[in-house]
Amino acid sequence: MADKQQFIDGLRQAWRDEVRSAKNYRALAERESNPEKRAILIRMAEAEDRHAATWAKRLRELGVEPGEYAESFLERVRRWVLLKSDSSVAAQMLEAGERDADAFYGTMLANVQSEQDRTSIIEAQREENAHHKMLEEFEGRGAHPQT
């Protein structure tokens, strides 16, 4: 029973984190003047929305309502700092969040309730890792071929 409650608590946290990430990506997209970068940020926000919807659905299947997202004061401050930062610093901040999400999903795997849960978490992990790599490219720190 403790594993199930830990899993539910993890899903709640994952849901919150994904909703917050989507809001951050959208906020950055609104200020981004480069149309290609804006499109990338919007696609990343949409992916975070899909993750949040997956976790909300699973919580409901487990008899738990995710509730409404209420942004904390600290989250508002972090978004403000994110938006006041230059693009490179903002990308680094988001990149750190993606690495944290990937690690968090790794810890959630210890309490999975079904093979479907395992598959969903691993898929979310893959996407978070892809976001991390996209953010490296976004800020121009990605791997470049030697010429």
Side-chain angles (χ1 to χ4, degrees), residues 19-146:
V19 171
R20 183 187 65 242
S21 291
K23 290 172 85 56
N24 286 340
Y25 284 124
R26 280 199 177 79
L28 281 175
E30 288 176 15
R31 77 161 205 187
E32 181 56 58
S33 59
N34 179 314
E36 291 172 7
K37 287 184 176 183
R38 185 179 324 111
I40 290 168
L41 291 166
I42 290 169
R43 282 195 311 273
M44 291 172 80
E46 290 168 348
E48 303 295 17
D49 285 338
R50 283 191 306 276
H51 297 163
T54 297
W55 305 143
K57 179 179 182 246
R58 184 62 177 124
L59 282 165
R60 287 184 189 101
E61 291 169 356
L62 293 167
V64 178
E65 277 301 315
E68 294 295 318
Y69 177 77
E71 192 171 49
S72 72
F73 174 74
L74 184 56
E75 289 167 333
R76 286 191 302 272
V77 169
R78 285 182 179 153
R79 179 169 308 110
W80 181 84
V81 169
L82 184 73
L83 292 172
K84 296 300 180 187
S85 301
D86 70 24
S87 293
S88 178
V89 171
Q92 288 175 18
M93 292 169 66
L94 292 171
E95 198 179 327
E98 295 296 345
R99 281 192 309 271
D100 291 346
D102 181 35
F104 182 71
Y105 285 136
T107 63
M108 281 184 65
L109 287 171
N111 297 308
V112 293
Q113 299 296 296
S114 71
E115 194 54 40
Q116 177 70 32
D117 292 334
R118 178 176 302 286
T119 301
S120 295
I121 291 169
I122 290 171
E123 180 59 31
Q125 250 185 328
R126 276 192 207 112
E127 286 191 23
E128 299 300 345
N129 192 29
H131 290 177
H132 166 71
K133 289 176 182 172
M134 285 175 25
L135 286 164
E136 283 182 337
E137 293 296 323
F138 188 86
E139 62 176 300
R141 289 189 313 114
H144 299 288
Q146 298 290 334

